[in-house]
Amino acid sequence: MNDDVRNIALGLIAAGISAALGWLARTYLWRRKLRRKQAFFGLPGNSECLLVVNRDAGGDGAVHRHDVFALLELSALIKGCSAHAQIVSHDTAQQGFGERTEFCVGGPGSNRRMAAHLQQLLPGVRINTGPEPGPDRAAFQVGTERYRLEAGAAEHVLLARLTGGQDARPVFLFCGQRAITNQAASRYLMRNHEKLQRKHRNSSFVLLLKVVNSQAYGPDVVELIGDVTRAAQAPLPTAAPVSHRAAG
């Protein structure tokens, strides 16, 4: 074997080793990223989770199209974690929480299970579900703050990750003033779950989001108003005056 042939062979071997090491490194990083994602969502490989579907108010049991879009996005996330989803209606999901991860979509007016979760897990949150028109229709109260709905201009949604214990699977809530805000919250979670995982680890959190000018931008322009976990999990003040937050 002359020097040229030997150099070519050594080059091919070195290139093969480098390619193999690069593949192993990429595979390791991908698997680590996947494990973190699975841990955050409580979705280990081949696990089961619940997608709790609400109904469109006044829609004779139908699901609003924006809620359908939210469910489709969540289904893609679940599949990306190598898990499986069981879709159940809000009025038939008569089981506890913690054994399986749950994604619950819709406000308490259209989702009985959401109403139960708010009452049990977030006592500091009140949502006006009455049909009477007025400035407080669909308004959120979180602690001593109230957030009103301006349809198409400024709409609010609670995005929560809640757990009942160290080994319990999380419950994710997408509780908005309108269906388009539920989709906005699911999209926000998809885009920001790595940042949320780094900040909150696997702990509970409740975020209040504002969907800006949905009549022009749909569910894409979302602002984080703040982390309201402490106020949402504390008992609702009974004597303290409620302050109104401006939409802008």
Side-chain angles (χ1 to χ4, degrees):
M1 179 182 295
N2 58 39
D3 291 342
D4 291 338
V5 174
R6 184 172 61 235
N7 290 336
I8 292 173
L10 291 175
L12 291 174
I13 293 172
I17 293 174
S18 297
L21 291 175
W23 179 83
L24 289 173
R26 289 192 298 271
T27 300
Y28 170 77
L29 293 174
W30 175 81
R31 288 180 176 175
R32 186 176 67 173
K33 184 177 180 180
L34 176 61
R35 286 194 297 269
R36 289 178 177 176
K37 183 178 179 181
Q38 290 174 327
F40 177 74
F41 288 107
L43 295 173
N46 294 318
S47 61
E48 296 284 342
C49 69
L50 293 180
L51 277 174
V52 181
V53 183
N54 67 340
R55 60 173 176 79
D56 184 11
D60 193 24
V63 180
H64 195 283
R65 64 187 182 91
H66 287 295
D67 289 329
V68 173
F69 294 151
L71 294 169
L72 289 173
E73 292 176 352
L74 293 172
S75 296
L77 182 149
I78 293 165
K79 185 177 181 181
C81 291
S82 301
H84 310 285
Q86 177 186 358
I87 300 176
V88 295
S89 176
H90 70 102
D91 51 359
T92 61
Q94 298 176 345
Q95 53 191 293
F97 59 88
E99 294 184 4
R100 290 187 288 178
T101 293
E102 176 182 336
F103 300 89
C104 192
V105 177
S110 63
N111 189 322
R112 295 180 188 173
R113 189 162 176 87
M114 179 67 73
H117 286 327
L118 293 178
Q119 182 179 8
Q120 183 71 25
L121 303 175
L122 300 179
V125 175
R126 289 291 183 274
I127 300 176
N128 184 3
T129 59
E132 299 82 8
D136 286 333
R137 184 175 184 180
F140 284 6
Q141 181 179 343
V142 183
T144 59
E145 300 285 350
R146 182 167 292 169
Y147 303 86
R148 287 171 168 168
L149 164 69
E150 293 185 18
E155 301 147 326
H156 301 89
V157 57
L158 289 171
L159 169 62
R161 180 191 190 275
L162 305 171
T163 58
Q166 184 175 359
D167 297 326
R169 298 284 175 84
V171 177
F172 289 88
L173 305 183
F174 307 84
C175 180
Q177 291 176 323
R178 297 179 65 209
I180 195 169
T181 63
N182 300 328
Q183 184 187 3
S186 68
R187 189 164 293 182
Y188 183 92
L189 180 65
M190 295 278 287
R191 291 173 176 172
N192 296 281
H193 67 84
E194 292 182 0
K195 183 189 301 183
L196 293 172
Q197 196 275 336
R198 288 193 297 269
K199 180 176 181 180
H200 300 282
R201 299 296 179 180
N202 294 327
S203 301
S204 296
F205 63 80
V206 185
L207 305 180
L208 182 64
L209 309 174
K210 182 171 71 174
V211 183
V212 179
N213 199 1
S214 64
Q215 61 185 354
Y217 304 127
D220 287 334
V221 181
V222 178
E223 295 179 359
L224 172 63
I225 293 181
D227 186 329
V228 296
T229 308
R230 182 173 298 180
Q233 292 184 328
L236 191 70
T238 56
V242 176
S243 60
H244 297 268
R245 291 291 297 268

Short mmCIF file of all heavy atoms in Angstrom, two decimals, residues 123-149:
data_model
loop_
_atom_site.label_atom_id
_atom_site.label_comp_id
_atom_site.label_asym_id
_atom_site.label_seq_id
_atom_site.Cartn_x
_atom_site.Cartn_y
_atom_site.Cartn_z
N PRO A 123 -58.93 28.29 43.68
CA PRO A 123 -60.02 28.98 44.38
C PRO A 123 -59.96 30.50 44.26
O PRO A 123 -60.95 31.17 44.55
CB PRO A 123 -59.84 28.53 45.83
CG PRO A 123 -58.39 28.18 45.94
CD PRO A 123 -58.01 27.60 44.61
N GLY A 124 -58.82 31.04 43.85
CA GLY A 124 -58.70 32.48 43.71
C GLY A 124 -59.14 33.02 42.37
O GLY A 124 -58.92 34.20 42.08
N VAL A 125 -59.76 32.17 41.56
CA VAL A 125 -60.22 32.58 40.23
C VAL A 125 -61.73 32.51 40.17
O VAL A 125 -62.33 31.50 40.57
CB VAL A 125 -59.61 31.67 39.12
CG1 VAL A 125 -60.20 32.02 37.76
CG2 VAL A 125 -58.10 31.80 39.10
N ARG A 126 -62.34 33.56 39.67
CA ARG A 126 -63.78 33.58 39.40
C ARG A 126 -63.98 34.09 37.99
O ARG A 126 -63.35 35.07 37.57
CB ARG A 126 -64.53 34.48 40.39
CG ARG A 126 -64.60 33.92 41.79
CD ARG A 126 -65.51 32.70 41.89
NE ARG A 126 -65.62 32.23 43.27
CZ ARG A 126 -64.78 31.41 43.86
NH1 ARG A 126 -63.73 30.95 43.18
NH2 ARG A 126 -64.95 31.04 45.11
N ILE A 127 -64.90 33.45 37.26
CA ILE A 127 -65.20 33.84 35.88
C ILE A 127 -66.69 34.04 35.76
O ILE A 127 -67.49 33.17 36.13
CB ILE A 127 -64.70 32.77 34.89
CG1 ILE A 127 -63.18 32.60 35.02
CG2 ILE A 127 -65.07 33.15 33.47
CD1 ILE A 127 -62.61 31.50 34.14
N ASN A 128 -67.07 35.19 35.25
CA ASN A 128 -68.48 35.51 35.08
C ASN A 128 -69.03 34.76 33.87
O ASN A 128 -68.71 35.09 32.73
CB ASN A 128 -68.64 37.03 34.90
CG ASN A 128 -70.11 37.44 34.80
OD1 ASN A 128 -71.00 36.61 34.94
ND2 ASN A 128 -70.35 38.72 34.56
N THR A 129 -69.83 33.76 34.14
CA THR A 129 -70.40 32.95 33.05
C THR A 129 -71.86 33.29 32.78
O THR A 129 -72.51 32.61 31.99
CB THR A 129 -70.30 31.45 33.40
OG1 THR A 129 -71.01 31.20 34.63
CG2 THR A 129 -68.86 31.02 33.56
N GLY A 130 -72.36 34.35 33.40
CA GLY A 130 -73.75 34.73 33.20
C GLY A 130 -74.00 35.23 31.79
O GLY A 130 -73.11 35.81 31.15
N PRO A 131 -75.24 35.05 31.28
CA PRO A 131 -75.55 35.48 29.91
C PRO A 131 -75.89 36.96 29.77
O PRO A 131 -76.02 37.46 28.66
CB PRO A 131 -76.77 34.62 29.56
CG PRO A 131 -77.46 34.42 30.88
CD PRO A 131 -76.36 34.35 31.92
N GLU A 132 -76.02 37.65 30.91
CA GLU A 132 -76.45 39.04 30.84
C GLU A 132 -75.36 39.90 30.19
O GLU A 132 -74.19 39.81 30.53
CB GLU A 132 -76.74 39.57 32.25
CG GLU A 132 -77.85 38.85 32.99
CD GLU A 132 -77.37 37.56 33.64
OE1 GLU A 132 -76.13 37.34 33.63
OE2 GLU A 132 -78.21 36.78 34.12
N PRO A 133 -75.76 40.76 29.23
CA PRO A 133 -74.78 41.66 28.62
C PRO A 133 -74.31 42.71 29.61
O PRO A 133 -75.00 43.03 30.58
CB PRO A 133 -75.56 42.29 27.46
CG PRO A 133 -77.00 42.20 27.88
CD PRO A 133 -77.12 40.94 28.68
N GLY A 134 -73.14 43.23 29.38
CA GLY A 134 -72.58 44.23 30.28
C GLY A 134 -71.07 44.19 30.26
O GLY A 134 -70.47 43.26 29.68
N PRO A 135 -70.43 45.15 30.89
CA PRO A 135 -68.96 45.21 30.83
C PRO A 135 -68.27 44.06 31.54
O PRO A 135 -67.11 43.76 31.24
CB PRO A 135 -68.65 46.55 31.52
CG PRO A 135 -69.84 46.82 32.39
CD PRO A 135 -71.01 46.27 31.65
N ASP A 136 -68.96 43.39 32.47
CA ASP A 136 -68.34 42.30 33.21
C ASP A 136 -68.68 40.92 32.65
O ASP A 136 -68.33 39.90 33.26
CB ASP A 136 -68.74 42.35 34.69
CG ASP A 136 -68.03 43.48 35.42
OD1 ASP A 136 -66.91 43.86 35.00
OD2 ASP A 136 -68.58 43.99 36.41
N ARG A 137 -69.32 40.87 31.53
CA ARG A 137 -69.63 39.57 30.93
C ARG A 137 -68.33 38.86 30.54
O ARG A 137 -67.47 39.43 29.86
CB ARG A 137 -70.52 39.74 29.70
CG ARG A 137 -70.96 38.41 29.10
CD ARG A 137 -71.94 38.60 27.96
NE ARG A 137 -72.41 37.32 27.45
CZ ARG A 137 -73.27 37.19 26.44
NH1 ARG A 137 -73.75 38.28 25.84
NH2 ARG A 137 -73.66 35.99 26.04
N ALA A 138 -68.18 37.63 30.98
CA ALA A 138 -66.99 36.80 30.73
C ALA A 138 -65.74 37.34 31.40
O ALA A 138 -64.63 36.90 31.11
CB ALA A 138 -66.74 36.61 29.24
N ALA A 139 -65.89 38.28 32.33
CA ALA A 139 -64.72 38.87 33.00
C ALA A 139 -64.05 37.84 33.91
O ALA A 139 -64.72 37.00 34.52
CB ALA A 139 -65.14 40.10 33.79
N PHE A 140 -62.73 37.95 34.00
CA PHE A 140 -61.94 37.14 34.93
C PHE A 140 -61.69 37.95 36.20
O PHE A 140 -61.39 39.14 36.14
CB PHE A 140 -60.57 36.79 34.34
CG PHE A 140 -60.58 35.72 33.30
CD1 PHE A 140 -61.77 35.19 32.81
CD2 PHE A 140 -59.39 35.23 32.78
CE1 PHE A 140 -61.77 34.20 31.85
CE2 PHE A 140 -59.38 34.24 31.82
CZ PHE A 140 -60.57 33.72 31.35
N GLN A 141 -61.82 37.29 37.33
CA GLN A 141 -61.32 37.86 38.58
C GLN A 141 -60.27 36.91 39.11
O GLN A 141 -60.52 35.74 39.36
CB GLN A 141 -62.43 38.04 39.62
CG GLN A 141 -61.92 38.68 40.91
CD GLN A 141 -63.01 38.89 41.96
OE1 GLN A 141 -64.20 38.86 41.62
NE2 GLN A 141 -62.62 39.10 43.19
N VAL A 142 -59.05 37.45 39.29
CA VAL A 142 -57.94 36.69 39.85
C VAL A 142 -57.45 37.46 41.06
O VAL A 142 -56.85 38.54 40.93
CB VAL A 142 -56.80 36.50 38.83
CG1 VAL A 142 -55.70 35.63 39.44
CG2 VAL A 142 -57.31 35.89 37.54
N GLY A 143 -57.73 36.94 42.24
CA GLY A 143 -57.42 37.67 43.45
C GLY A 143 -58.26 38.93 43.52
O GLY A 143 -59.49 38.87 43.48
N THR A 144 -57.62 40.07 43.60
CA THR A 144 -58.33 41.35 43.67
C THR A 144 -58.37 42.08 42.34
O THR A 144 -58.83 43.21 42.26
CB THR A 144 -57.67 42.27 44.72
OG1 THR A 144 -56.31 42.49 44.35
CG2 THR A 144 -57.73 41.63 46.11
N GLU A 145 -57.91 41.43 41.28
CA GLU A 145 -57.88 42.06 39.96
C GLU A 145 -58.98 41.47 39.08
O GLU A 145 -59.25 40.27 39.11
CB GLU A 145 -56.52 41.86 39.29
CG GLU A 145 -55.34 42.45 40.05
CD GLU A 145 -55.27 43.96 39.92
OE1 GLU A 145 -56.02 44.53 39.09
OE2 GLU A 145 -54.47 44.57 40.65
N ARG A 146 -59.59 42.34 38.27
CA ARG A 146 -60.60 41.89 37.32
C ARG A 146 -60.15 42.27 35.91
O ARG A 146 -59.68 43.37 35.67
CB ARG A 146 -61.96 42.51 37.63
CG ARG A 146 -63.08 42.04 36.69
CD ARG A 146 -64.43 42.43 37.22
NE ARG A 146 -64.73 41.68 38.43
CZ ARG A 146 -65.76 41.97 39.24
NH1 ARG A 146 -66.54 43.00 38.97
NH2 ARG A 146 -65.98 41.24 40.31
N TYR A 147 -60.34 41.32 34.99
CA TYR A 147 -59.90 41.50 33.61
C TYR A 147 -61.11 41.32 32.70
O TYR A 147 -61.66 40.22 32.59
CB TYR A 147 -58.81 40.49 33.26
CG TYR A 147 -57.61 40.57 34.18
CD1 TYR A 147 -57.59 39.87 35.39
CD2 TYR A 147 -56.51 41.36 33.85
CE1 TYR A 147 -56.49 39.95 36.24
CE2 TYR A 147 -55.41 41.44 34.70
CZ TYR A 147 -55.42 40.74 35.89
OH TYR A 147 -54.34 40.82 36.73
N ARG A 148 -61.51 42.41 32.06
CA ARG A 148 -62.71 42.40 31.24
C ARG A 148 -62.40 41.99 29.80
O ARG A 148 -61.26 42.10 29.34
CB ARG A 148 -63.37 43.78 31.27
CG ARG A 148 -64.06 44.09 32.59
CD ARG A 148 -64.51 45.53 32.66
NE ARG A 148 -65.41 45.76 33.79
CZ ARG A 148 -65.75 46.96 34.23
NH1 ARG A 148 -65.28 48.05 33.63
NH2 ARG A 148 -66.57 47.08 35.26
N LEU A 149 -63.45 41.56 29.14
CA LEU A 149 -63.34 41.14 27.74
C LEU A 149 -63.68 42.31 26.82
O LEU A 149 -64.69 42.99 27.01
CB LEU A 149 -64.31 39.98 27.48
CG LEU A 149 -64.62 39.64 26.02
CD1 LEU A 149 -63.40 39.04 25.34
CD2 LEU A 149 -65.81 38.68 25.93
#
